[in-house]
Amino acid sequence: MLNNPKHGWCDFKLNDFTGTPSYLTDVPIEVLNAFISFHENGYGMVCFDEEGKEFSLVLTLYGVYIIEEREETPLLHNFSWSSVKDLEKEVISDIEQDIDAWGLFATSDSEEDIREHKEEILRKINLLKNK
């Protein structure tokens, strides 16, 4: 679902829907928070900024949705047949595979900031794995 984090951009793909979120959204943290919220509250949501356009991932007990706000009229994509648990595993795997690049994502170039961001991401992953 998430890959290619570099130069402040990354790729998002859920079946036939694709997006390119920018660093204006701390993508790994916000996505992990959405899944954690799903486990704690029965719903989760994250908004992705594409700098001029945006889309949101919505997780509910009844389905998975993308709200695409790229045109004047928002579009709703229904992925209700998708398993939240399967998507969660995919997100964790995607982030863990490229943890060093995600540590750089949406942070300054200071080694301390990068290290702290990476540690925060890993804490969220561990929290989610224990849900």
Side-chain angles (χ1 to χ4, degrees):
M1 183 185 308
L2 299 173
N3 64 33
N4 202 26
K6 57 174 117 171
H7 310 299
W9 297 90
C10 66
D11 296 328
F12 177 99
K13 182 166 177 47
L14 180 56
N15 292 342
D16 62 343
F17 179 85
T18 60
T20 49
S22 82
Y23 71 97
L24 296 176
T25 305
D26 190 345
V27 173
I29 295 297
E30 295 298 320
V31 170
L32 293 168
N33 283 342
F35 281 95
I36 291 167
S37 175
F38 174 80
H39 285 285
E40 293 175 350
N41 306 306
Y43 61 88
M45 181 175 163
V46 58
C47 299
F48 299 97
D49 192 316
E50 294 181 299
E51 297 190 25
K53 303 172 196 165
E54 62 185 48
F55 66 95
S56 302
L57 171 65
V58 180
L59 309 170
T60 73
L61 294 173
Y62 308 104
V64 176
Y65 307 93
I66 298 277
I67 301 169
E68 179 181 1
E69 298 181 74
R70 294 176 172 159
E71 306 293 329
E72 287 185 29
T73 304
L75 296 174
L76 177 67
H77 301 268
N78 185 340
F79 299 99
S80 293
W81 46 266
S82 295
S83 160
V84 172
K85 194 68 176 165
D86 288 345
L87 294 177
E88 177 181 305
K89 288 177 185 175
E90 181 180 346
V91 163
I92 289 171
S93 175
D94 290 347
I95 294 171
E96 286 179 329
Q97 284 183 138
D98 212 356
I99 189 64
D100 290 330
W102 286 115
L104 287 164
F105 198 84
T107 63
S108 72
D109 289 334
S110 95
E111 287 184 32
E112 183 177 344
D113 286 348
I114 294 166
R115 180 184 51 75
E116 288 175 0
H117 191 239
K118 185 175 169 181
E119 288 173 2
E120 182 181 6
I121 293 167
L122 292 171
R123 277 192 303 275
K124 299 276 183 185
I125 287 173
N126 286 331
L127 178 63
L128 188 54
K129 284 181 176 180
N130 291 313
K131 293 285 182 188

